[in-house]
Amino acid sequence: AVPGASNPRPPLQESRERLSVCSKLCYAVGGGPYQITGCALGFFLQIYLLDVAQLDPFYASIILFVGRAWDAVTDPMVGFFISKTSWTRFGRLMPWIIFSTPFAVISYFLIWFVPDISRGQVMWYLFFYCIFQTLVTCFHVPYSALTMFISREQSERDSATAYRMTVEVLGTVLGTAIQGQIVGKVITPCIESPFFLRNSNSSVAMEELNMTHDTGSLTDTRNAYMIAAGVIGGLYILCTVILSVGVRERRESSELQSDKPVSFFQGLKLVMNHGAYIKLIAGFLFTSLAFMLLEGNFALFCTYTLGFRNEFQNILLAIMLSATLTIPLWQWFLTRFGKKTAVYVGISSAIPFLIMVAVLDSNLIVTYIVAVAAGISVAAAFLLPWSMLPDVIDDFKLQHPDSHGHEAIFFSFYVFFTKFASGVSLGVSTLSLDFAGYQTRGCSQPSEVNVTLKMLVSAVPVGLILLGLFLFKLYPIDEEKRRKNKKALQDLR
């Protein structure tokens, strides 16, 4: 035997598990469509329904709640059908991504179209919002589960997840920039409120102003929304093409495959009984809700409470640019200090800035400073949940080595709880604005609306973050546990 002849073999075997930078980038680009469209809808749909489509706040709240709730329900449904899908030469997950894309783009465009009908507008937006949420779920659930099928190496999956989160936050920047800058170029006309807003005739006066105002003045604004939807739809298709061409779905990366198919409901029961998974959901459910509540009401808050009607799209862009630039910082931080520490430091850092923006007087410079600082925390909220979920799945595989193929269940129900709760929060927040006396297309709002908006973007999110961090202390997988699981999985393979 030649001395040292066996030494080169382990590095060679390890190199086979490594993903190229090109593969990671192509995989990461696939995260763009969900975030670009989600950000545009999250930041702008509420103000669009209220001030452009001119729906009553009550009906707008129904659309937002039902759409989000339906979106949540479709995640486990799609996860179920994926678990029953057979492997093809394109993989098991990729066909879902490819075939859902053209229909998702069409339905997304129709969400931003104002139909020329006197009745049925509510049903129009509700129908196409639900259809789009279904189709984008058919893209995002298999894409999320694809994390477990690109490599068996935990470090490679973490690295690919960091690439993905960088692109996804960049996607939020693109969604904010495209929607905000195109729409922001057009000044949406508002209606001056009656001087005595609280007197008994105020609603009558507002109704008369709405009836006499030329609705044609909204044509440019409506066209701008459709142009933005067309651009975003084109990016959706481009990202899908790059993902499908540049990423290979590896069947062997999902661990040892069982010849006997496992019942979906049996797998669901096992997943829901896994303590680490439930505790991770509990922690991030409330912190995610905080940022979603902030996202849904921030445009209205900037427009009416802060008085930055023509600046809110730039403030949103500052938040997302800051988040994009700090994703690599958080990736370094979690590898250096651990993921649980990164959660506490990253997400809690938003609290003082959320308080500051509500307490301080309206000041544009201070608002931009707060926006940049808040973006740092948004980056942590984006990266950490998706970085930690694969650790939970690895922990599950060690406890249930004979049970396979549950990745889609983990990812779909993880998203389900967050989306359903966010639907409730969006519906409740829009109803709160209705009760506070929100005036559609008003140049200003009653003081009760401004107080409500401050609560929705400051006090309530702060409370949700604190509750989420408290619950997260119960999460059992720290860095030592993660290293032990990694070694045990290598031994199992």
mmCIF file with all atom_site columns, all heavy atoms in Angstrom, residues 26-27 29-30 90 94-95 97-98 101 139 143 146 237-249:
data_model
loop_
_atom_site.group_PDB
_atom_site.id
_atom_site.type_symbol
_atom_site.label_atom_id
_atom_site.label_alt_id
_atom_site.label_comp_id
_atom_site.label_asym_id
_atom_site.label_entity_id
_atom_site.label_seq_id
_atom_site.pdbx_PDB_ins_code
_atom_site.Cartn_x
_atom_site.Cartn_y
_atom_site.Cartn_z
_atom_site.occupancy
_atom_site.B_iso_or_equiv
_atom_site.pdbx_formal_charge
_atom_site.auth_seq_id
_atom_site.auth_comp_id
_atom_site.auth_asym_id
_atom_site.auth_atom_id
_atom_site.pdbx_PDB_model_num
ATOM 1   N N   . CYS A 1 26  ? -28.828 30.126 -9.014  1.00 0.00 ? 26  CYS A N   1
ATOM 2   C CA  . CYS A 1 26  ? -30.042 29.752 -9.750  1.00 0.00 ? 26  CYS A CA  1
ATOM 3   C C   . CYS A 1 26  ? -31.149 29.320 -8.790  1.00 0.00 ? 26  CYS A C   1
ATOM 4   O O   . CYS A 1 26  ? -32.325 29.652 -8.977  1.00 0.00 ? 26  CYS A O   1
ATOM 5   C CB  . CYS A 1 26  ? -29.743 28.632 -10.743 1.00 0.00 ? 26  CYS A CB  1
ATOM 6   S SG  . CYS A 1 26  ? -28.725 29.132 -12.144 1.00 0.00 ? 26  CYS A SG  1
ATOM 7   N N   . TYR A 1 27  ? -30.756 28.572 -7.752  1.00 0.00 ? 27  TYR A N   1
ATOM 8   C CA  . TYR A 1 27  ? -31.733 28.195 -6.730  1.00 0.00 ? 27  TYR A CA  1
ATOM 9   C C   . TYR A 1 27  ? -32.279 29.430 -6.027  1.00 0.00 ? 27  TYR A C   1
ATOM 10  O O   . TYR A 1 27  ? -33.497 29.552 -5.802  1.00 0.00 ? 27  TYR A O   1
ATOM 11  C CB  . TYR A 1 27  ? -31.076 27.255 -5.717  1.00 0.00 ? 27  TYR A CB  1
ATOM 12  C CG  . TYR A 1 27  ? -31.879 27.075 -4.452  1.00 0.00 ? 27  TYR A CG  1
ATOM 13  C CD1 . TYR A 1 27  ? -33.043 26.309 -4.441  1.00 0.00 ? 27  TYR A CD1 1
ATOM 14  C CD2 . TYR A 1 27  ? -31.474 27.686 -3.265  1.00 0.00 ? 27  TYR A CD2 1
ATOM 15  C CE1 . TYR A 1 27  ? -33.781 26.158 -3.273  1.00 0.00 ? 27  TYR A CE1 1
ATOM 16  C CE2 . TYR A 1 27  ? -32.212 27.546 -2.102  1.00 0.00 ? 27  TYR A CE2 1
ATOM 17  C CZ  . TYR A 1 27  ? -33.360 26.784 -2.114  1.00 0.00 ? 27  TYR A CZ  1
ATOM 18  O OH  . TYR A 1 27  ? -34.098 26.643 -0.962  1.00 0.00 ? 27  TYR A OH  1
ATOM 19  N N   . VAL A 1 29  ? -32.528 32.510 -7.081  1.00 0.00 ? 29  VAL A N   1
ATOM 20  C CA  . VAL A 1 29  ? -33.378 33.328 -7.953  1.00 0.00 ? 29  VAL A CA  1
ATOM 21  C C   . VAL A 1 29  ? -34.824 32.842 -7.902  1.00 0.00 ? 29  VAL A C   1
ATOM 22  O O   . VAL A 1 29  ? -35.763 33.642 -8.038  1.00 0.00 ? 29  VAL A O   1
ATOM 23  C CB  . VAL A 1 29  ? -32.832 33.302 -9.401  1.00 0.00 ? 29  VAL A CB  1
ATOM 24  C CG1 . VAL A 1 29  ? -33.863 33.840 -10.387 1.00 0.00 ? 29  VAL A CG1 1
ATOM 25  C CG2 . VAL A 1 29  ? -31.559 34.127 -9.493  1.00 0.00 ? 29  VAL A CG2 1
ATOM 26  N N   . GLY A 1 30  ? -35.019 31.554 -7.662  1.00 0.00 ? 30  GLY A N   1
ATOM 27  C CA  . GLY A 1 30  ? -36.379 31.020 -7.575  1.00 0.00 ? 30  GLY A CA  1
ATOM 28  C C   . GLY A 1 30  ? -37.186 31.594 -6.428  1.00 0.00 ? 30  GLY A C   1
ATOM 29  O O   . GLY A 1 30  ? -38.419 31.495 -6.425  1.00 0.00 ? 30  GLY A O   1
ATOM 30  N N   . PHE A 1 90  ? -38.044 15.321 -14.579 1.00 0.00 ? 90  PHE A N   1
ATOM 31  C CA  . PHE A 1 90  ? -37.779 16.696 -14.157 1.00 0.00 ? 90  PHE A CA  1
ATOM 32  C C   . PHE A 1 90  ? -37.720 16.820 -12.639 1.00 0.00 ? 90  PHE A C   1
ATOM 33  O O   . PHE A 1 90  ? -37.411 17.894 -12.118 1.00 0.00 ? 90  PHE A O   1
ATOM 34  C CB  . PHE A 1 90  ? -38.873 17.632 -14.685 1.00 0.00 ? 90  PHE A CB  1
ATOM 35  C CG  . PHE A 1 90  ? -38.983 17.664 -16.179 1.00 0.00 ? 90  PHE A CG  1
ATOM 36  C CD1 . PHE A 1 90  ? -40.027 17.045 -16.823 1.00 0.00 ? 90  PHE A CD1 1
ATOM 37  C CD2 . PHE A 1 90  ? -38.013 18.308 -16.943 1.00 0.00 ? 90  PHE A CD2 1
ATOM 38  C CE1 . PHE A 1 90  ? -40.134 17.063 -18.198 1.00 0.00 ? 90  PHE A CE1 1
ATOM 39  C CE2 . PHE A 1 90  ? -38.114 18.330 -18.323 1.00 0.00 ? 90  PHE A CE2 1
ATOM 40  C CZ  . PHE A 1 90  ? -39.173 17.706 -18.954 1.00 0.00 ? 90  PHE A CZ  1
ATOM 41  N N   . MET A 1 94  ? -40.263 20.185 -9.320  1.00 0.00 ? 94  MET A N   1
ATOM 42  C CA  . MET A 1 94  ? -40.096 21.163 -10.392 1.00 0.00 ? 94  MET A CA  1
ATOM 43  C C   . MET A 1 94  ? -41.305 21.276 -11.323 1.00 0.00 ? 94  MET A C   1
ATOM 44  O O   . MET A 1 94  ? -41.634 22.396 -11.749 1.00 0.00 ? 94  MET A O   1
ATOM 45  C CB  . MET A 1 94  ? -38.830 20.833 -11.188 1.00 0.00 ? 94  MET A CB  1
ATOM 46  C CG  . MET A 1 94  ? -38.280 22.018 -11.961 1.00 0.00 ? 94  MET A CG  1
ATOM 47  S SD  . MET A 1 94  ? -37.714 23.379 -10.894 1.00 0.00 ? 94  MET A SD  1
ATOM 48  C CE  . MET A 1 94  ? -36.162 22.706 -10.292 1.00 0.00 ? 94  MET A CE  1
ATOM 49  N N   . PRO A 1 95  ? -41.998 20.187 -11.674 1.00 0.00 ? 95  PRO A N   1
ATOM 50  C CA  . PRO A 1 95  ? -43.175 20.344 -12.542 1.00 0.00 ? 95  PRO A CA  1
ATOM 51  C C   . PRO A 1 95  ? -44.243 21.262 -11.950 1.00 0.00 ? 95  PRO A C   1
ATOM 52  O O   . PRO A 1 95  ? -44.905 22.014 -12.674 1.00 0.00 ? 95  PRO A O   1
ATOM 53  C CB  . PRO A 1 95  ? -43.702 18.911 -12.695 1.00 0.00 ? 95  PRO A CB  1
ATOM 54  C CG  . PRO A 1 95  ? -42.487 18.053 -12.518 1.00 0.00 ? 95  PRO A CG  1
ATOM 55  C CD  . PRO A 1 95  ? -41.674 18.757 -11.481 1.00 0.00 ? 95  PRO A CD  1
ATOM 56  N N   . ILE A 1 97  ? -43.704 23.856 -10.075 1.00 0.00 ? 97  ILE A N   1
ATOM 57  C CA  . ILE A 1 97  ? -43.205 25.221 -10.220 1.00 0.00 ? 97  ILE A CA  1
ATOM 58  C C   . ILE A 1 97  ? -43.405 25.721 -11.649 1.00 0.00 ? 97  ILE A C   1
ATOM 59  O O   . ILE A 1 97  ? -43.865 26.850 -11.876 1.00 0.00 ? 97  ILE A O   1
ATOM 60  C CB  . ILE A 1 97  ? -41.708 25.260 -9.821  1.00 0.00 ? 97  ILE A CB  1
ATOM 61  C CG1 . ILE A 1 97  ? -41.556 24.959 -8.326  1.00 0.00 ? 97  ILE A CG1 1
ATOM 62  C CG2 . ILE A 1 97  ? -41.083 26.597 -10.181 1.00 0.00 ? 97  ILE A CG2 1
ATOM 63  C CD1 . ILE A 1 97  ? -40.128 24.749 -7.877  1.00 0.00 ? 97  ILE A CD1 1
ATOM 64  N N   . ILE A 1 98  ? -43.080 24.871 -12.614 1.00 0.00 ? 98  ILE A N   1
ATOM 65  C CA  . ILE A 1 98  ? -43.108 25.292 -14.028 1.00 0.00 ? 98  ILE A CA  1
ATOM 66  C C   . ILE A 1 98  ? -44.539 25.519 -14.509 1.00 0.00 ? 98  ILE A C   1
ATOM 67  O O   . ILE A 1 98  ? -44.851 26.556 -15.110 1.00 0.00 ? 98  ILE A O   1
ATOM 68  C CB  . ILE A 1 98  ? -42.390 24.244 -14.902 1.00 0.00 ? 98  ILE A CB  1
ATOM 69  C CG1 . ILE A 1 98  ? -40.898 24.181 -14.538 1.00 0.00 ? 98  ILE A CG1 1
ATOM 70  C CG2 . ILE A 1 98  ? -42.572 24.563 -16.382 1.00 0.00 ? 98  ILE A CG2 1
ATOM 71  C CD1 . ILE A 1 98  ? -40.157 23.022 -15.178 1.00 0.00 ? 98  ILE A CD1 1
ATOM 72  N N   . THR A 1 101 ? -46.712 28.673 -13.182 1.00 0.00 ? 101 THR A N   1
ATOM 73  C CA  . THR A 1 101 ? -46.231 30.034 -13.418 1.00 0.00 ? 101 THR A CA  1
ATOM 74  C C   . THR A 1 101 ? -47.089 30.860 -14.373 1.00 0.00 ? 101 THR A C   1
ATOM 75  O O   . THR A 1 101 ? -47.488 31.984 -14.021 1.00 0.00 ? 101 THR A O   1
ATOM 76  C CB  . THR A 1 101 ? -44.771 29.996 -13.905 1.00 0.00 ? 101 THR A CB  1
ATOM 77  O OG1 . THR A 1 101 ? -43.939 29.524 -12.833 1.00 0.00 ? 101 THR A OG1 1
ATOM 78  C CG2 . THR A 1 101 ? -44.297 31.378 -14.324 1.00 0.00 ? 101 THR A CG2 1
ATOM 79  N N   . PHE A 1 139 ? -46.255 27.188 -6.516  1.00 0.00 ? 139 PHE A N   1
ATOM 80  C CA  . PHE A 1 139 ? -44.855 27.505 -6.802  1.00 0.00 ? 139 PHE A CA  1
ATOM 81  C C   . PHE A 1 139 ? -44.019 27.437 -5.530  1.00 0.00 ? 139 PHE A C   1
ATOM 82  O O   . PHE A 1 139 ? -42.968 26.800 -5.491  1.00 0.00 ? 139 PHE A O   1
ATOM 83  C CB  . PHE A 1 139 ? -44.761 28.911 -7.419  1.00 0.00 ? 139 PHE A CB  1
ATOM 84  C CG  . PHE A 1 139 ? -43.364 29.355 -7.765  1.00 0.00 ? 139 PHE A CG  1
ATOM 85  C CD1 . PHE A 1 139 ? -42.936 29.359 -9.081  1.00 0.00 ? 139 PHE A CD1 1
ATOM 86  C CD2 . PHE A 1 139 ? -42.464 29.773 -6.789  1.00 0.00 ? 139 PHE A CD2 1
ATOM 87  C CE1 . PHE A 1 139 ? -41.655 29.780 -9.419  1.00 0.00 ? 139 PHE A CE1 1
ATOM 88  C CE2 . PHE A 1 139 ? -41.182 30.179 -7.102  1.00 0.00 ? 139 PHE A CE2 1
ATOM 89  C CZ  . PHE A 1 139 ? -40.778 30.184 -8.418  1.00 0.00 ? 139 PHE A CZ  1
ATOM 90  N N   . TYR A 1 143 ? -40.996 24.866 -4.016  1.00 0.00 ? 143 TYR A N   1
ATOM 91  C CA  . TYR A 1 143 ? -39.702 25.557 -4.023  1.00 0.00 ? 143 TYR A CA  1
ATOM 92  C C   . TYR A 1 143 ? -39.066 25.537 -2.640  1.00 0.00 ? 143 TYR A C   1
ATOM 93  O O   . TYR A 1 143 ? -37.858 25.318 -2.498  1.00 0.00 ? 143 TYR A O   1
ATOM 94  C CB  . TYR A 1 143 ? -39.875 26.999 -4.497  1.00 0.00 ? 143 TYR A CB  1
ATOM 95  C CG  . TYR A 1 143 ? -38.610 27.815 -4.338  1.00 0.00 ? 143 TYR A CG  1
ATOM 96  C CD1 . TYR A 1 143 ? -37.522 27.603 -5.187  1.00 0.00 ? 143 TYR A CD1 1
ATOM 97  C CD2 . TYR A 1 143 ? -38.491 28.754 -3.325  1.00 0.00 ? 143 TYR A CD2 1
ATOM 98  C CE1 . TYR A 1 143 ? -36.345 28.325 -5.030  1.00 0.00 ? 143 TYR A CE1 1
ATOM 99  C CE2 . TYR A 1 143 ? -37.324 29.476 -3.161  1.00 0.00 ? 143 TYR A CE2 1
ATOM 100 C CZ  . TYR A 1 143 ? -36.256 29.260 -4.017  1.00 0.00 ? 143 TYR A CZ  1
ATOM 101 O OH  . TYR A 1 143 ? -35.088 29.973 -3.846  1.00 0.00 ? 143 TYR A OH  1
ATOM 102 N N   . LEU A 1 146 ? -37.691 22.246 -1.863  1.00 0.00 ? 146 LEU A N   1
ATOM 103 C CA  . LEU A 1 146 ? -36.532 21.945 -2.706  1.00 0.00 ? 146 LEU A CA  1
ATOM 104 C C   . LEU A 1 146 ? -35.215 22.095 -1.945  1.00 0.00 ? 146 LEU A C   1
ATOM 105 O O   . LEU A 1 146 ? -34.202 21.496 -2.316  1.00 0.00 ? 146 LEU A O   1
ATOM 106 C CB  . LEU A 1 146 ? -36.543 22.876 -3.929  1.00 0.00 ? 146 LEU A CB  1
ATOM 107 C CG  . LEU A 1 146 ? -35.592 22.564 -5.085  1.00 0.00 ? 146 LEU A CG  1
ATOM 108 C CD1 . LEU A 1 146 ? -35.888 21.201 -5.694  1.00 0.00 ? 146 LEU A CD1 1
ATOM 109 C CD2 . LEU A 1 146 ? -35.693 23.659 -6.157  1.00 0.00 ? 146 LEU A CD2 1
ATOM 110 N N   . ILE A 1 237 ? -41.801 35.232 -14.553 1.00 0.00 ? 237 ILE A N   1
ATOM 111 C CA  . ILE A 1 237 ? -41.503 34.231 -15.582 1.00 0.00 ? 237 ILE A CA  1
ATOM 112 C C   . ILE A 1 237 ? -39.999 34.036 -15.731 1.00 0.00 ? 237 ILE A C   1
ATOM 113 O O   . ILE A 1 237 ? -39.504 32.899 -15.825 1.00 0.00 ? 237 ILE A O   1
ATOM 114 C CB  . ILE A 1 237 ? -42.134 34.647 -16.921 1.00 0.00 ? 237 ILE A CB  1
ATOM 115 C CG1 . ILE A 1 237 ? -43.664 34.625 -16.808 1.00 0.00 ? 237 ILE A CG1 1
ATOM 116 C CG2 . ILE A 1 237 ? -41.677 33.728 -18.052 1.00 0.00 ? 237 ILE A CG2 1
ATOM 117 C CD1 . ILE A 1 237 ? -44.378 35.200 -18.004 1.00 0.00 ? 237 ILE A CD1 1
ATOM 118 N N   . LEU A 1 238 ? -39.233 35.121 -15.747 1.00 0.00 ? 238 LEU A N   1
ATOM 119 C CA  . LEU A 1 238 ? -37.778 35.040 -15.906 1.00 0.00 ? 238 LEU A CA  1
ATOM 120 C C   . LEU A 1 238 ? -37.143 34.236 -14.774 1.00 0.00 ? 238 LEU A C   1
ATOM 121 O O   . LEU A 1 238 ? -36.272 33.374 -15.011 1.00 0.00 ? 238 LEU A O   1
ATOM 122 C CB  . LEU A 1 238 ? -37.186 36.451 -15.951 1.00 0.00 ? 238 LEU A CB  1
ATOM 123 C CG  . LEU A 1 238 ? -35.654 36.547 -16.059 1.00 0.00 ? 238 LEU A CG  1
ATOM 124 C CD1 . LEU A 1 238 ? -35.166 35.912 -17.360 1.00 0.00 ? 238 LEU A CD1 1
ATOM 125 C CD2 . LEU A 1 238 ? -35.199 38.000 -15.955 1.00 0.00 ? 238 LEU A CD2 1
ATOM 126 N N   . CYS A 1 239 ? -37.560 34.489 -13.537 1.00 0.00 ? 239 CYS A N   1
ATOM 127 C CA  . CYS A 1 239 ? -37.012 33.765 -12.386 1.00 0.00 ? 239 CYS A CA  1
ATOM 128 C C   . CYS A 1 239 ? -37.328 32.276 -12.467 1.00 0.00 ? 239 CYS A C   1
ATOM 129 O O   . CYS A 1 239 ? -36.484 31.430 -12.129 1.00 0.00 ? 239 CYS A O   1
ATOM 130 C CB  . CYS A 1 239 ? -37.558 34.351 -11.084 1.00 0.00 ? 239 CYS A CB  1
ATOM 131 S SG  . CYS A 1 239 ? -36.961 36.007 -10.685 1.00 0.00 ? 239 CYS A SG  1
ATOM 132 N N   . THR A 1 240 ? -38.530 31.937 -12.923 1.00 0.00 ? 240 THR A N   1
ATOM 133 C CA  . THR A 1 240 ? -38.912 30.529 -13.053 1.00 0.00 ? 240 THR A CA  1
ATOM 134 C C   . THR A 1 240 ? -38.038 29.822 -14.081 1.00 0.00 ? 240 THR A C   1
ATOM 135 O O   . THR A 1 240 ? -37.606 28.677 -13.866 1.00 0.00 ? 240 THR A O   1
ATOM 136 C CB  . THR A 1 240 ? -40.390 30.411 -13.462 1.00 0.00 ? 240 THR A CB  1
ATOM 137 O OG1 . THR A 1 240 ? -41.204 31.090 -12.500 1.00 0.00 ? 240 THR A OG1 1
ATOM 138 C CG2 . THR A 1 240 ? -40.814 28.956 -13.541 1.00 0.00 ? 240 THR A CG2 1
ATOM 139 N N   . VAL A 1 241 ? -37.757 30.489 -15.191 1.00 0.00 ? 241 VAL A N   1
ATOM 140 C CA  . VAL A 1 241 ? -36.910 29.897 -16.235 1.00 0.00 ? 241 VAL A CA  1
ATOM 141 C C   . VAL A 1 241 ? -35.506 29.635 -15.694 1.00 0.00 ? 241 VAL A C   1
ATOM 142 O O   . VAL A 1 241 ? -34.933 28.554 -15.889 1.00 0.00 ? 241 VAL A O   1
ATOM 143 C CB  . VAL A 1 241 ? -36.860 30.816 -17.469 1.00 0.00 ? 241 VAL A CB  1
ATOM 144 C CG1 . VAL A 1 241 ? -35.816 30.317 -18.459 1.00 0.00 ? 241 VAL A CG1 1
ATOM 145 C CG2 . VAL A 1 241 ? -38.223 30.888 -18.141 1.00 0.00 ? 241 VAL A CG2 1
ATOM 146 N N   . ILE A 1 242 ? -34.933 30.603 -14.997 1.00 0.00 ? 242 ILE A N   1
ATOM 147 C CA  . ILE A 1 242 ? -33.582 30.450 -14.441 1.00 0.00 ? 242 ILE A CA  1
ATOM 148 C C   . ILE A 1 242 ? -33.537 29.307 -13.438 1.00 0.00 ? 242 ILE A C   1
ATOM 149 O O   . ILE A 1 242 ? -32.605 28.483 -13.429 1.00 0.00 ? 242 ILE A O   1
ATOM 150 C CB  . ILE A 1 242 ? -33.113 31.769 -13.791 1.00 0.00 ? 242 ILE A CB  1
ATOM 151 C CG1 . ILE A 1 242 ? -32.935 32.847 -14.867 1.00 0.00 ? 242 ILE A CG1 1
ATOM 152 C CG2 . ILE A 1 242 ? -31.805 31.563 -13.020 1.00 0.00 ? 242 ILE A CG2 1
ATOM 153 C CD1 . ILE A 1 242 ? -32.637 34.210 -14.313 1.00 0.00 ? 242 ILE A CD1 1
ATOM 154 N N   . LEU A 1 243 ? -34.542 29.215 -12.566 1.00 0.00 ? 243 LEU A N   1
ATOM 155 C CA  . LEU A 1 243 ? -34.597 28.147 -11.566 1.00 0.00 ? 243 LEU A CA  1
ATOM 156 C C   . LEU A 1 243 ? -34.684 26.771 -12.226 1.00 0.00 ? 243 LEU A C   1
ATOM 157 O O   . LEU A 1 243 ? -33.940 25.848 -11.872 1.00 0.00 ? 243 LEU A O   1
ATOM 158 C CB  . LEU A 1 243 ? -35.802 28.362 -10.651 1.00 0.00 ? 243 LEU A CB  1
ATOM 159 C CG  . LEU A 1 243 ? -36.113 27.241 -9.657  1.00 0.00 ? 243 LEU A CG  1
ATOM 160 C CD1 . LEU A 1 243 ? -35.017 27.115 -8.612  1.00 0.00 ? 243 LEU A CD1 1
ATOM 161 C CD2 . LEU A 1 243 ? -37.467 27.478 -8.984  1.00 0.00 ? 243 LEU A CD2 1
ATOM 162 N N   . SER A 1 244 ? -35.586 26.631 -13.192 1.00 0.00 ? 244 SER A N   1
ATOM 163 C CA  . SER A 1 244 ? -35.815 25.320 -13.811 1.00 0.00 ? 244 SER A CA  1
ATOM 164 C C   . SER A 1 244 ? -34.630 24.860 -14.644 1.00 0.00 ? 244 SER A C   1
ATOM 165 O O   . SER A 1 244 ? -34.357 23.662 -14.747 1.00 0.00 ? 244 SER A O   1
ATOM 166 C CB  . SER A 1 244 ? -37.075 25.361 -14.680 1.00 0.00 ? 244 SER A CB  1
ATOM 167 O OG  . SER A 1 244 ? -36.960 26.339 -15.700 1.00 0.00 ? 244 SER A OG  1
ATOM 168 N N   . VAL A 1 245 ? -33.885 25.808 -15.215 1.00 0.00 ? 245 VAL A N   1
ATOM 169 C CA  . VAL A 1 245 ? -32.732 25.455 -16.042 1.00 0.00 ? 245 VAL A CA  1
ATOM 170 C C   . VAL A 1 245 ? -31.488 25.195 -15.185 1.00 0.00 ? 245 VAL A C   1
ATOM 171 O O   . VAL A 1 245 ? -30.691 24.294 -15.483 1.00 0.00 ? 245 VAL A O   1
ATOM 172 C CB  . VAL A 1 245 ? -32.449 26.567 -17.081 1.00 0.00 ? 245 VAL A CB  1
ATOM 173 C CG1 . VAL A 1 245 ? -31.121 26.328 -17.790 1.00 0.00 ? 245 VAL A CG1 1
ATOM 174 C CG2 . VAL A 1 245 ? -33.583 26.647 -18.094 1.00 0.00 ? 245 VAL A CG2 1
ATOM 175 N N   . GLY A 1 246 ? -31.329 25.949 -14.101 1.00 0.00 ? 246 GLY A N   1
ATOM 176 C CA  . GLY A 1 246 ? -30.066 25.921 -13.360 1.00 0.00 ? 246 GLY A CA  1
ATOM 177 C C   . GLY A 1 246 ? -30.004 25.031 -12.143 1.00 0.00 ? 246 GLY A C   1
ATOM 178 O O   . GLY A 1 246 ? -28.931 24.890 -11.533 1.00 0.00 ? 246 GLY A O   1
ATOM 179 N N   . VAL A 1 247 ? -31.121 24.419 -11.740 1.00 0.00 ? 247 VAL A N   1
ATOM 180 C CA  . VAL A 1 247 ? -31.144 23.617 -10.508 1.00 0.00 ? 247 VAL A CA  1
ATOM 181 C C   . VAL A 1 247 ? -31.562 22.192 -10.824 1.00 0.00 ? 247 VAL A C   1
ATOM 182 O O   . VAL A 1 247 ? -32.540 21.970 -11.538 1.00 0.00 ? 247 VAL A O   1
ATOM 183 C CB  . VAL A 1 247 ? -32.109 24.224 -9.469  1.00 0.00 ? 247 VAL A CB  1
ATOM 184 C CG1 . VAL A 1 247 ? -32.210 23.319 -8.238  1.00 0.00 ? 247 VAL A CG1 1
ATOM 185 C CG2 . VAL A 1 247 ? -31.635 25.608 -9.058  1.00 0.00 ? 247 VAL A CG2 1
ATOM 186 N N   . ARG A 1 248 ? -30.812 21.263 -10.287 1.00 0.00 ? 248 ARG A N   1
ATOM 187 C CA  . ARG A 1 248 ? -31.130 19.842 -10.436 1.00 0.00 ? 248 ARG A CA  1
ATOM 188 C C   . ARG A 1 248 ? -31.686 19.311 -9.128  1.00 0.00 ? 248 ARG A C   1
ATOM 189 O O   . ARG A 1 248 ? -31.061 19.437 -8.076  1.00 0.00 ? 248 ARG A O   1
ATOM 190 C CB  . ARG A 1 248 ? -29.875 19.059 -10.828 1.00 0.00 ? 248 ARG A CB  1
ATOM 191 C CG  . ARG A 1 248 ? -30.099 17.547 -10.898 1.00 0.00 ? 248 ARG A CG  1
ATOM 192 C CD  . ARG A 1 248 ? -28.858 16.832 -11.396 1.00 0.00 ? 248 ARG A CD  1
ATOM 193 N NE  . ARG A 1 248 ? -28.970 15.389 -11.135 1.00 0.00 ? 248 ARG A NE  1
ATOM 194 C CZ  . ARG A 1 248 ? -28.136 14.718 -10.361 1.00 0.00 ? 248 ARG A CZ  1
ATOM 195 N NH1 . ARG A 1 248 ? -27.128 15.323 -9.783  1.00 0.00 ? 248 ARG A NH1 1
ATOM 196 N NH2 . ARG A 1 248 ? -28.296 13.416 -10.195 1.00 0.00 ? 248 ARG A NH2 1
ATOM 197 N N   . GLU A 1 249 ? -32.865 18.753 -9.191  1.00 0.00 ? 249 GLU A N   1
ATOM 198 C CA  . GLU A 1 249 ? -33.504 18.160 -8.020  1.00 0.00 ? 249 GLU A CA  1
ATOM 199 C C   . GLU A 1 249 ? -32.955 16.761 -7.800  1.00 0.00 ? 249 GLU A C   1
ATOM 200 O O   . GLU A 1 249 ? -33.087 15.892 -8.657  1.00 0.00 ? 249 GLU A O   1
ATOM 201 C CB  . GLU A 1 249 ? -35.018 18.117 -8.247  1.00 0.00 ? 249 GLU A CB  1
ATOM 202 C CG  . GLU A 1 249 ? -35.816 17.696 -7.032  1.00 0.00 ? 249 GLU A CG  1
ATOM 203 C CD  . GLU A 1 249 ? -37.308 17.692 -7.325  1.00 0.00 ? 249 GLU A CD  1
ATOM 204 O OE1 . GLU A 1 249 ? -37.735 18.329 -8.305  1.00 0.00 ? 249 GLU A OE1 1
ATOM 205 O OE2 . GLU A 1 249 ? -38.040 17.034 -6.566  1.00 0.00 ? 249 GLU A OE2 1
#
